[in-house]
Every structure is written in structure tokens, then in C-alpha cells.
Amino acid sequence: KAGVTQTPRYLIKTRGQQVTLSCSPISGHRSVSWYQQTPGQGLQFLFEYFSETQRNKGNFPGRFSGRQFSNSRSEMNVSTLELGDSALYLCASSLASSYNSPLHFGNGTRLTVT
Amino acid sequence: AQSVAQPEDQVNVAEGNPLTVKCTYSVSGNPYLFWYVQYPNRGLQFLLKYITGDNLVKGSYGFEAEFNKSQTSFHLKKPSALVSDSALYFCAVRVLPLNAGGTSYGKLTFGQGTILTVHP
């Protein structure tokens, strides 16, 4: 079974631009979550989608948004990029059937904002 | 609010020696605890989880973890470390909401991570 796939692996953008990151979950997984990883803040929860609906949201500004499609694939968008948005963005999927289901992470998209 | 603490930024052990990576948690409900490992330029890999039952949980790659409710700890252990175990380790908690109607499964609260270095 294929794992969580994130594209692209690397992105370089300039301040003020916007970016869209993509995530394909493990087949059969209906919950997709996004995390931001930085050396200073560690792993921070961005949001979670289930059946095309945002089910939970972390403490990030409105410039960060996401969506989920009917095939469970998800995208996240960051508008008006700031230097502080440079990070590794991780997508995770789970069966979403119980609280003991672990999250399965992709390899991430490394975003650099210059 | 729930929180997870990994008190050691770095742990250094010699190959063949036992290793322990520490984790303590603070939650108001029943904790579901997880350990993940991250290798450079990779995502997080699931190692093991504690839900209920035996306090000693066995996971992937020979790792195990001991849940201690009175000390609110969930330390990761391995009897004999390998150089290939060198990586960044994260402890995480998911809390079952007191209102069972909550169904958000995707949010984990992570510790800051511990860099494990195993020397040959």
C-alpha cells in the first residue's frame, strides 16, 4: 500500500507570493491533517479535514487555508507569504475511525520564502 | 490544555547500550500516547502507541515504551541501541474529549523532540 504522498518536495517562493501544497493520503484514509515544522516552534497543528469538511483548526492566521476533495486528496494554500512561513509542511492521514489510529505522515514539502 | 514535554534536547548513547528517551504529559482527559521518529529530510514514522492495558508497549524496530500514570510519563526505551537508531524522536498525545461527540482525530500535540545520537 502506497504511503502518504506530498508534492512538491521543495519550493522556493518570494515574500508576498502564494503557494499551494498537495497531499494524497493512504488509500482508504479519510482524515487528512497538516502540520508545520520549524526549528523554533517544533510541530504545530494547522488543520484537519474529513469528508471535505474542516473538522479542526490550529492557531494560524487566515493566510493559511486548506481543502479536501471527494477522493480525500488535500491541498493547503498560503497566501501573502512571509519569511516566517519558511518551514517543513507535513501532511498526515489516518483511518479516522477511532482515537487509537496513529497518523501516517508524508515526507513533507520544504518551503523556503526569500 | 494538553501538553507534552521532552526534557532532554539530546541523548547520547554508545552502540549496544540501553537507551531511554523521556516524555511527560499533561492532559485533562484520558491520554492516547504515541512515539514517532524522524530521519533527516523525511516525515515522521510511527513507532508505537499506548491506549489502555499493559503499561509496557512494544513497537517497531525493537523499541518499547513504559506508561506510568502516576508520574504522567511515557518514556521510550530500547535494550540495545544501534547506530542506525540515531534520529529525532517525538512524543505526542491525543486526548479523548470528555464530550464523546467530538470526532477530531487528526490533532496530536507533540513534544519538542529529542535528538538521539548512538556512537559506534
Side-chain angles (χ1 to χ4, degrees):
Chain A
K1 185 182 278 191
V4 177
T5 303
Q6 291 187 248
T7 56
R9 286 296 311 275
Y10 301 93
L11 269 176
I12 300 176
K13 293 287 187 178
T14 57
R15 279 181 299 175
Q17 287 186 314
Q18 73 167 18
V19 66
T20 299
L21 312 181
S22 180
C23 172
S24 294
I26 292 172
S27 178
H29 286 193
R30 297 172 63 192
S31 170
V32 174
S33 302
W34 289 89
Y35 287 80
Q36 181 195 65
Q37 185 178 19
T38 59
Q41 298 299 316
L43 284 155
Q44 302 286 316
F45 172 76
L46 279 157
F47 27 63
E48 177 196 5
Y49 287 87
F50 178 77
S51 293
E52 303 177 65
T53 300
Q54 187 180 87
R55 197 157 63 175
N56 201 350
K57 189 177 189 301
N59 188 25
F60 278 83
R63 301 185 296 108
F64 292 81
S65 63
R67 60 177 176 169
Q68 187 180 34
F69 303 95
S70 58
N71 61 358
S72 294
R73 191 177 69 85
S74 177
E75 291 180 346
M76 69 163 281
N77 183 77
V78 188
S79 62
T80 318
L81 284 166
E82 300 177 359
L83 294 179
D85 297 333
S86 294
L88 180 66
Y89 289 88
L90 293 166
C91 169
S93 72
S94 72
L95 285 170
S97 58
S98 69
Y99 277 90
N100 60 16
S101 298
L103 299 185
H104 299 270
F105 286 83
N107 285 330
T109 294
R110 173 77 61 187
L111 172 64
T112 302
V113 182
T114 62
Chain B
Q2 62 208 48
S3 64
V4 177
Q6 294 180 239
E8 300 159 317
D9 291 335
Q10 293 193 42
V11 170
N12 297 289
V13 298
E15 188 173 32
N17 283 0
L19 70 86
T20 298
V21 182
K22 296 179 180 178
C23 170
T24 58
Y25 65 91
S26 174
V27 301
S28 56
N30 294 315
Y32 291 73
L33 295 156
F34 303 83
W35 274 103
Y36 287 85
V37 59
Q38 185 178 33
Y39 296 97
N41 297 316
R42 302 293 296 271
L44 278 66
Q45 294 181 29
F46 167 70
L47 282 178
L48 52 78
K49 65 183 179 184
Y50 172 80
I51 307 300
T52 60
D54 289 340
N55 290 339
L56 186 63
V57 178
K58 294 189 183 297
S60 306
Y61 313 118
F63 284 94
E64 56 191 30
E66 187 171 9
F67 173 70
N68 187 315
K69 187 173 182 178
S70 63
Q71 297 185 4
T72 60
S73 66
F74 188 55
H75 300 331
L76 182 69
K77 301 183 179 191
K78 188 173 184 181
S80 178
L82 300 172
V83 172
S84 57
D85 292 331
S86 298
L88 179 58
Y89 289 80
F90 289 97
C91 181
V93 65
R94 174 193 282 150
V95 178
L96 182 65
L98 298 178
N99 172 8
T103 54
S104 175
Y105 301 107
K107 181 179 180 181
L108 297 182
T109 299
F110 287 88
Q112 284 297 100
T114 298
I115 299 172
L116 171 68
T117 303
V118 181
H119 301 281

Short mmCIF file of all heavy atoms in Angstrom, two decimals, chain B residues 76-114:
data_model
loop_
_atom_site.label_atom_id
_atom_site.label_comp_id
_atom_site.label_asym_id
_atom_site.label_seq_id
_atom_site.Cartn_x
_atom_site.Cartn_y
_atom_site.Cartn_z
N LEU B 76 10.43 6.28 26.16
CA LEU B 76 10.79 5.35 25.08
C LEU B 76 12.09 4.64 25.45
O LEU B 76 13.05 5.29 25.91
CB LEU B 76 10.98 6.12 23.77
CG LEU B 76 11.31 5.30 22.54
CD1 LEU B 76 10.11 4.46 22.10
CD2 LEU B 76 11.75 6.22 21.39
N LYS B 77 12.13 3.33 25.21
CA LYS B 77 13.30 2.56 25.59
C LYS B 77 13.67 1.56 24.51
O LYS B 77 12.83 1.17 23.70
CB LYS B 77 13.04 1.81 26.91
CG LYS B 77 12.69 2.74 28.06
CD LYS B 77 12.52 1.97 29.36
CE LYS B 77 12.18 2.93 30.49
NZ LYS B 77 12.26 2.32 31.83
N LYS B 78 14.95 1.18 24.55
CA LYS B 78 15.43 0.10 23.70
C LYS B 78 16.58 -0.58 24.43
O LYS B 78 17.48 0.10 24.92
CB LYS B 78 15.89 0.61 22.34
CG LYS B 78 16.21 -0.50 21.34
CD LYS B 78 16.49 0.05 19.95
CE LYS B 78 16.72 -1.09 18.97
NZ LYS B 78 17.02 -0.62 17.61
N PRO B 79 16.57 -1.89 24.52
CA PRO B 79 17.58 -2.59 25.32
C PRO B 79 19.00 -2.44 24.78
O PRO B 79 19.95 -2.37 25.54
CB PRO B 79 17.12 -4.04 25.28
CG PRO B 79 15.68 -4.00 24.93
CD PRO B 79 15.52 -2.79 24.05
N SER B 80 19.14 -2.38 23.45
CA SER B 80 20.47 -2.33 22.85
C SER B 80 20.42 -1.39 21.64
O SER B 80 19.82 -1.71 20.63
CB SER B 80 20.90 -3.74 22.42
OG SER B 80 22.17 -3.71 21.81
N ALA B 81 21.06 -0.23 21.76
CA ALA B 81 20.98 0.79 20.72
C ALA B 81 21.83 0.45 19.51
O ALA B 81 22.90 -0.18 19.62
CB ALA B 81 21.42 2.14 21.29
N LEU B 82 21.36 0.87 18.35
CA LEU B 82 22.09 0.74 17.10
C LEU B 82 22.45 2.12 16.56
O LEU B 82 21.71 3.09 16.79
CB LEU B 82 21.25 0.00 16.06
CG LEU B 82 20.78 -1.41 16.39
CD1 LEU B 82 19.80 -1.89 15.32
CD2 LEU B 82 21.97 -2.35 16.50
N VAL B 83 23.56 2.20 15.82
CA VAL B 83 23.92 3.48 15.21
C VAL B 83 22.78 3.98 14.33
O VAL B 83 22.50 5.19 14.27
CB VAL B 83 25.22 3.34 14.40
CG1 VAL B 83 25.51 4.61 13.60
CG2 VAL B 83 26.40 3.02 15.32
N SER B 84 22.09 3.06 13.67
CA SER B 84 21.00 3.44 12.77
C SER B 84 19.78 3.99 13.52
O SER B 84 18.85 4.50 12.90
CB SER B 84 20.57 2.25 11.92
OG SER B 84 20.19 1.16 12.73
N ASP B 85 19.76 3.89 14.85
CA ASP B 85 18.68 4.49 15.63
C ASP B 85 18.85 6.00 15.77
O ASP B 85 17.94 6.69 16.24
CB ASP B 85 18.63 3.87 17.04
CG ASP B 85 18.19 2.42 17.03
OD1 ASP B 85 17.43 2.02 16.12
OD2 ASP B 85 18.63 1.68 17.94
N SER B 86 19.99 6.52 15.40
CA SER B 86 20.25 7.96 15.51
C SER B 86 19.23 8.73 14.67
O SER B 86 19.12 8.52 13.45
CB SER B 86 21.67 8.29 15.04
OG SER B 86 22.63 7.64 15.84
N ALA B 87 18.47 9.60 15.31
CA ALA B 87 17.39 10.33 14.63
C ALA B 87 16.75 11.27 15.64
O ALA B 87 17.20 11.39 16.78
CB ALA B 87 16.34 9.36 14.09
N LEU B 88 15.70 11.93 15.18
CA LEU B 88 14.92 12.84 16.03
C LEU B 88 13.65 12.13 16.46
O LEU B 88 12.92 11.60 15.62
CB LEU B 88 14.59 14.11 15.23
CG LEU B 88 13.76 15.21 15.89
CD1 LEU B 88 14.42 15.72 17.16
CD2 LEU B 88 13.57 16.36 14.90
N TYR B 89 13.39 12.11 17.76
CA TYR B 89 12.25 11.37 18.30
C TYR B 89 11.23 12.33 18.92
O TYR B 89 11.60 13.26 19.65
CB TYR B 89 12.73 10.37 19.36
CG TYR B 89 13.48 9.21 18.74
CD1 TYR B 89 14.81 9.36 18.37
CD2 TYR B 89 12.85 8.01 18.49
CE1 TYR B 89 15.51 8.32 17.77
CE2 TYR B 89 13.54 6.96 17.89
CZ TYR B 89 14.87 7.13 17.53
OH TYR B 89 15.53 6.10 16.93
N PHE B 90 9.97 12.06 18.61
CA PHE B 90 8.88 12.89 19.11
C PHE B 90 7.89 12.03 19.89
O PHE B 90 7.46 10.98 19.43
CB PHE B 90 8.12 13.56 17.96
CG PHE B 90 8.88 14.63 17.26
CD1 PHE B 90 9.55 14.36 16.08
CD2 PHE B 90 8.91 15.93 17.77
CE1 PHE B 90 10.24 15.36 15.41
CE2 PHE B 90 9.60 16.93 17.10
CZ PHE B 90 10.27 16.64 15.93
N CYS B 91 7.50 12.57 21.03
CA CYS B 91 6.39 12.02 21.81
C CYS B 91 5.16 12.88 21.49
O CYS B 91 5.27 14.10 21.26
CB CYS B 91 6.74 12.10 23.30
SG CYS B 91 5.51 11.44 24.42
N ALA B 92 3.98 12.26 21.45
CA ALA B 92 2.78 13.00 21.13
C ALA B 92 1.60 12.45 21.91
O ALA B 92 1.58 11.27 22.28
CB ALA B 92 2.48 12.94 19.63
N VAL B 93 0.61 13.31 22.12
CA VAL B 93 -0.59 12.89 22.84
C VAL B 93 -1.84 13.33 22.09
O VAL B 93 -1.87 14.40 21.48
CB VAL B 93 -0.59 13.47 24.28
CG1 VAL B 93 -0.68 14.98 24.26
CG2 VAL B 93 -1.75 12.89 25.09
N ARG B 94 -2.81 12.47 22.08
CA ARG B 94 -4.14 12.79 21.58
C ARG B 94 -5.09 12.54 22.73
O ARG B 94 -5.03 11.51 23.38
CB ARG B 94 -4.51 11.91 20.39
CG ARG B 94 -5.93 12.07 19.88
CD ARG B 94 -6.26 10.95 18.94
NE ARG B 94 -5.66 11.15 17.62
CZ ARG B 94 -5.30 10.13 16.82
NH1 ARG B 94 -5.44 8.89 17.23
NH2 ARG B 94 -4.81 10.39 15.62
N VAL B 95 -5.96 13.49 22.98
CA VAL B 95 -6.83 13.37 24.14
C VAL B 95 -8.24 13.06 23.70
O VAL B 95 -8.79 13.75 22.83
CB VAL B 95 -6.81 14.66 24.98
CG1 VAL B 95 -7.77 14.55 26.16
CG2 VAL B 95 -5.39 14.93 25.48
N LEU B 96 -8.82 12.05 24.30
CA LEU B 96 -10.22 11.73 24.04
C LEU B 96 -11.07 12.79 24.72
O LEU B 96 -10.95 13.02 25.92
CB LEU B 96 -10.57 10.36 24.62
CG LEU B 96 -11.99 9.86 24.39
CD1 LEU B 96 -12.24 9.64 22.92
CD2 LEU B 96 -12.23 8.59 25.19
N PRO B 97 -11.90 13.50 23.95
CA PRO B 97 -12.68 14.58 24.56
C PRO B 97 -13.66 14.05 25.59
O PRO B 97 -14.18 12.94 25.46
CB PRO B 97 -13.40 15.22 23.38
CG PRO B 97 -13.45 14.14 22.35
CD PRO B 97 -12.21 13.34 22.54
N LEU B 98 -13.88 14.80 26.63
CA LEU B 98 -14.83 14.40 27.65
C LEU B 98 -16.22 14.27 27.05
O LEU B 98 -17.02 13.42 27.44
CB LEU B 98 -14.83 15.41 28.81
CG LEU B 98 -13.49 15.52 29.55
CD1 LEU B 98 -13.58 16.57 30.63
CD2 LEU B 98 -13.11 14.16 30.14
N ASN B 99 -16.50 15.13 26.04
CA ASN B 99 -17.74 15.01 25.27
C ASN B 99 -17.48 14.03 24.15
O ASN B 99 -16.77 14.32 23.21
CB ASN B 99 -18.13 16.38 24.71
CG ASN B 99 -19.30 16.28 23.75
OD1 ASN B 99 -19.91 15.22 23.61
ND2 ASN B 99 -19.60 17.36 23.07
N ALA B 100 -18.05 12.86 24.24
CA ALA B 100 -17.74 11.81 23.27
C ALA B 100 -18.22 12.15 21.87
O ALA B 100 -17.91 11.45 20.93
CB ALA B 100 -18.37 10.49 23.72
N GLY B 101 -18.95 13.23 21.73
CA GLY B 101 -19.39 13.62 20.40
C GLY B 101 -18.29 14.21 19.55
O GLY B 101 -18.42 14.31 18.35
N GLY B 102 -17.18 14.59 20.17
CA GLY B 102 -16.07 15.14 19.42
C GLY B 102 -15.43 14.08 18.55
O GLY B 102 -15.23 12.96 18.98
N THR B 103 -15.12 14.42 17.32
CA THR B 103 -14.56 13.42 16.42
C THR B 103 -13.36 13.93 15.67
O THR B 103 -13.18 13.64 14.50
CB THR B 103 -15.63 12.96 15.42
OG1 THR B 103 -16.17 14.13 14.76
CG2 THR B 103 -16.72 12.19 16.10
N SER B 104 -12.55 14.72 16.28
CA SER B 104 -11.34 15.21 15.62
C SER B 104 -10.20 14.26 15.95
O SER B 104 -9.73 14.21 17.08
CB SER B 104 -11.01 16.62 16.08
OG SER B 104 -9.78 17.03 15.51
N TYR B 105 -9.79 13.50 14.95
CA TYR B 105 -8.75 12.51 15.19
C TYR B 105 -7.37 12.99 14.77
O TYR B 105 -6.39 12.35 15.08
CB TYR B 105 -9.07 11.23 14.41
CG TYR B 105 -10.39 10.62 14.76
CD1 TYR B 105 -11.47 10.70 13.89
CD2 TYR B 105 -10.57 9.96 15.97
CE1 TYR B 105 -12.69 10.14 14.22
CE2 TYR B 105 -11.78 9.40 16.29
CZ TYR B 105 -12.84 9.48 15.42
OH TYR B 105 -14.04 8.93 15.74
N GLY B 106 -7.34 14.09 14.04
CA GLY B 106 -6.08 14.45 13.39
C GLY B 106 -5.16 15.33 14.18
O GLY B 106 -4.06 15.61 13.75
N LYS B 107 -5.59 15.79 15.35
CA LYS B 107 -4.74 16.71 16.08
C LYS B 107 -3.98 15.97 17.18
O LYS B 107 -4.56 15.41 18.09
CB LYS B 107 -5.57 17.83 16.71
CG LYS B 107 -4.70 18.83 17.46
CD LYS B 107 -5.50 19.95 18.07
CE LYS B 107 -4.59 20.90 18.82
NZ LYS B 107 -5.36 22.01 19.45
N LEU B 108 -2.67 15.97 17.02
CA LEU B 108 -1.79 15.50 18.07
C LEU B 108 -1.01 16.68 18.61
O LEU B 108 -0.67 17.60 17.87
CB LEU B 108 -0.80 14.46 17.53
CG LEU B 108 -1.36 13.14 16.98
CD1 LEU B 108 -0.22 12.23 16.54
CD2 LEU B 108 -2.21 12.44 18.03
N THR B 109 -0.74 16.63 19.89
CA THR B 109 0.15 17.62 20.49
C THR B 109 1.51 16.95 20.68
O THR B 109 1.59 15.91 21.34
CB THR B 109 -0.40 18.11 21.83
OG1 THR B 109 -1.66 18.73 21.62
CG2 THR B 109 0.56 19.11 22.47
N PHE B 110 2.53 17.55 20.09
CA PHE B 110 3.87 16.96 20.09
C PHE B 110 4.79 17.63 21.09
O PHE B 110 4.67 18.83 21.38
CB PHE B 110 4.51 17.10 18.70
CG PHE B 110 3.93 16.19 17.66
CD1 PHE B 110 2.84 16.57 16.92
CD2 PHE B 110 4.50 14.94 17.43
CE1 PHE B 110 2.31 15.72 15.95
CE2 PHE B 110 3.98 14.10 16.46
CZ PHE B 110 2.88 14.49 15.72
N GLY B 111 5.72 16.84 21.61
CA GLY B 111 6.83 17.42 22.35
C GLY B 111 7.80 18.10 21.38
O GLY B 111 7.63 18.03 20.17
N GLN B 112 8.80 18.74 21.94
CA GLN B 112 9.75 19.49 21.12
C GLN B 112 10.76 18.60 20.40
O GLN B 112 11.48 19.07 19.53
CB GLN B 112 10.50 20.50 21.98
CG GLN B 112 9.67 21.71 22.35
CD GLN B 112 9.27 22.52 21.12
OE1 GLN B 112 8.16 22.42 20.62
NE2 GLN B 112 10.19 23.31 20.60
N GLY B 113 10.80 17.36 20.76
CA GLY B 113 11.70 16.43 20.09
C GLY B 113 13.01 16.24 20.84
O GLY B 113 13.50 17.15 21.52
N THR B 114 13.57 15.04 20.70
CA THR B 114 14.86 14.71 21.30
C THR B 114 15.75 14.10 20.23
O THR B 114 15.34 13.16 19.54
CB THR B 114 14.69 13.69 22.45
OG1 THR B 114 13.90 14.26 23.48
CG2 THR B 114 16.05 13.28 23.02
#
